[in-house]
Amino acid sequence: MSRYRAVIFDIGGAVDLEFAWEMALDGAIASACGMEGIRVDPAMVEEASEQAVAAFAPDVVLYMIETLCGGEPATVARVARRAEAMTGRLDAFQLRPGIEELLKRLIGQGLVLSAIEPRWERLERAGIAELFTRDHAVPPIECILVGDRIDADIAPAKAAGMATIQFRSGRWRRQRPRSEAETPDAVVADVAELEAAIAALVT
């Protein structure tokens, strides 16, 4: 019998594609820079994003803005405020194709599903909120964490004793572990690979 009884999802990246959100955010940063007379193109924004991810920046957006603005504090603060104003109320949730069916199959196998700090109203609008348990009593040693970020998802979950699966997607798709403590038990790039990775852990 498997020791794993729950699968915890970081919603962004695994359940939510985040493509529309990332595009909107990158566009807002570029526009906000433009208002300061700083001309940036998509390649420059992409490079700033790659640098932020590679640096394991805790605040990727701020790191990107600092990079694009040359680090000048007042300019960075204004650009950050404008970018937030442009995207703060944006709802760009995109349910990953095939993920709802997988979630239902996992429940059918007797697994408890939970989520890291989800925006429940978005899950409700997507019709999948009822698939997740808001509060569960499953100890970390019996949980599998699925997330797209090494720094914010995989490393903390491993430190807590969970099994981990990195879902390479979106902005963090190229993030790689820097040590054994950050190395996931499995790495996947689509729903079929995720299902196989979970099956390998629970069997």
Side-chain angles (χ1 to χ4, degrees):
M1 183 176 178
S2 172
R3 82 183 215 201
Y4 298 112
R5 297 193 292 123
V7 182
I8 302 173
F9 286 85
D10 170 41
I11 298 300
V15 177
D16 175 4
L17 281 170
E18 289 195 325
F19 290 157
W21 163 252
E22 289 178 3
M23 287 178 62
L25 178 59
D26 290 355
I29 291 172
S31 295
C33 285
M35 292 176 189
E36 293 290 328
I38 302 169
R39 296 190 60 168
V40 301
D41 60 32
M44 293 169 66
V45 176
E46 175 70 14
E47 176 61 25
S49 172
E50 294 288 343
Q51 291 178 21
V53 170
F56 281 61
D59 188 330
V60 169
V61 174
L62 184 60
Y63 189 103
M64 290 171 64
I65 292 171
E66 288 173 345
T67 299
L68 294 167
C69 294
E72 201 284 308
T75 303
V76 169
R78 287 194 298 270
V79 170
R81 283 197 301 271
R82 287 175 179 145
E84 170 62 25
M86 292 180 205
T87 59
R89 295 182 179 275
L90 179 65
D91 185 357
F93 188 92
Q94 292 177 294
L95 193 62
R96 180 177 294 281
I99 195 69
E100 181 177 359
E101 293 77 12
L102 173 58
L103 296 175
K104 291 177 179 177
R105 287 195 293 274
L106 295 176
I107 291 172
Q109 294 166 21
L111 291 165
V112 173
L113 304 185
S114 188
I116 301 174
E117 299 180 356
R119 296 188 179 184
W120 289 105
E121 69 278 6
R122 294 184 178 182
L123 298 185
E124 287 165 358
R125 284 197 294 275
I128 61 170
E130 71 278 2
L131 301 178
F132 293 92
T133 300
R134 298 191 185 219
D135 298 299
H136 67 85
V138 181
I141 196 74
E142 298 176 13
C143 295
I144 300 168
L145 184 284
V146 179
D148 58 342
R149 293 182 63 169
I150 294 289
D151 54 347
D153 303 330
I154 303 302
K158 284 197 67 165
M162 299 183 195
T164 57
I165 299 173
Q166 181 189 6
F167 201 127
R168 285 188 180 153
S169 177
R171 197 180 302 281
W172 283 273
R173 67 192 178 280
R174 294 192 181 97
Q175 194 172 55
R176 299 295 184 268
R178 300 166 296 184
S179 67
E180 179 60 32
E182 295 176 344
T183 301
D185 294 284
V187 177
V188 303
D190 59 38
V191 171
E193 290 181 1
L194 175 59
E195 184 165 19
I198 293 173
L201 287 169
V202 301
T203 54

